Amino acid sequence: ILNVEQSPQSLHVQEGDSTNFTCSFPSSNFYALHWYRWETAKSPEALFVMTLNGDEKKKGRISATLNTKEGYSYLYIKGSQPEDSATYLCAFRSGATNKLIFGTGTLLAVQP
Amino acid sequence: DSGVTQTPKHLITATGQRVTLRCSPRSGDLSVYWYQQSLDQGLQFLIQYYNGEERAKGNILERFSAQQFPDLHSELNLSSLELGDSALYFCASSVVGTGNEQFFGPGTRLTVL
């Protein structure tokens, strides 16, 4: 059974704080790791798709790193803003299957 | 707006009934995915179609079935509905396969009474 775990489950920060959270996935037979941002009452929105060990991707104040050998990815948000409040999901695909296995997400609340 | 459309937005039905959820992918996307999000659970992958053919299957019950039509829209059929089938059902599409980012539709909220 492929397990994708995200930590922490939730995070409350103040506006302007930088924050990061973790996605852990099986280190064998890696194919791709996705990050999605999911705001309440909306649908998940793709942030990054990462495929190479050591990959670093950036979109504005949000960036992500990938370590396929040890099976983790970090998502960083620099200078959090209230509009960053959302659930951040990661999803893993192994080379053996076409399925994306989603973690349960990290709920970020940024207080003004 | 992701470009993926889903209908209906809400559906309320009774146990034992059958419903059909519809999804139109983004223009040019060949792959369609169906996900279920139940209360207190993460997104659960149900099934993927690529250019009309089933490509991958997840935790999809035998009472559920799906298909992708020649115009690439997809339908998810849920039959003999049970209370536990109440959930948010998302459709997503991507250009090719799961190495590509997926674009999610707004979802269909199904309530089984």
Side-chain angles (χ1 to χ4, degrees):
Chain A
I1 295 177
L2 298 175
N3 223 17
V4 177
E5 294 182 359
Q6 291 188 247
S7 62
Q9 199 171 7
S10 64
L11 199 50
H12 294 255
V13 302
Q14 294 293 317
E15 183 175 353
D17 287 351
S18 292
T19 186
N20 67 84
F21 14 96
T22 306
C23 173
S24 301
F25 52 86
S27 56
S28 60
N29 211 359
F30 176 86
Y31 187 92
L33 193 282
H34 296 223
W35 280 101
Y36 289 85
R37 181 171 177 273
W38 192 0
E39 284 183 75
T40 304
K42 294 189 178 178
S43 48
E45 174 195 346
L47 289 173
F48 307 114
V49 177
M50 308 177 81
T51 55
L52 297 174
N53 185 41
D55 230 357
E56 288 190 32
K57 298 228 172 175
K58 190 173 180 185
K59 191 182 275 192
R61 293 179 291 99
I62 304 177
S63 60
T65 60
L66 178 68
N67 184 324
T68 61
K69 293 189 189 309
E70 294 181 45
Y72 65 84
S73 176
Y74 293 138
L75 189 81
Y76 301 91
I77 302 179
K78 188 177 175 182
S80 303
Q81 299 296 308
E83 57 265 30
D84 295 329
S85 297
T87 296
Y88 291 83
L89 295 170
C90 69
F92 165 78
R93 185 199 151 181
S94 80
T97 172
N98 280 315
K99 307 174 200 178
L100 265 190
I101 310 297
F102 279 83
T104 50
T106 292
L107 174 61
L108 175 67
V110 182
Q111 301 197 318
Chain B
D1 183 1
S2 67
V4 179
T5 60
Q6 286 186 251
T7 55
K9 200 167 179 179
H10 301 277
L11 198 47
I12 301 175
T13 188
T15 54
Q17 296 297 305
R18 174 190 167 94
V19 297
T20 297
L21 312 184
R22 186 189 164 104
C23 167
S24 292
R26 287 190 326 155
S27 176
D29 284 359
L30 299 177
S31 272
V32 168
Y33 311 80
W34 286 97
Y35 293 92
Q36 179 193 57
Q37 199 229 351
S38 305
L39 202 62
D40 295 334
Q41 284 205 352
L43 279 171
Q44 299 291 317
F45 169 70
L46 294 177
I47 197 162
Q48 177 202 358
Y49 278 83
Y50 172 75
N51 205 19
E53 301 285 327
E54 183 184 303
R55 177 61 69 92
K57 219 165 183 173
N59 301 324
I60 188 166
L61 299 171
E62 281 190 18
R63 299 183 285 109
F64 296 0
S65 65
Q67 53 185 325
Q68 187 180 27
F69 295 87
D71 67 352
L72 300 178
H73 91 269
S74 178
E75 292 180 356
L76 180 67
N77 301 296
L78 315 175
S79 60
S80 303
L81 284 167
E82 301 175 359
L83 296 177
D85 297 328
S86 295
L88 193 50
Y89 291 85
F90 283 108
C91 164
S93 74
S94 69
V95 173
V96 181
T98 44
N100 304 106
E101 62 185 319
Q102 296 184 13
F103 295 86
F104 281 76
T108 293
R109 181 164 294 284
L110 173 67
T111 303
V112 182
L113 300 175

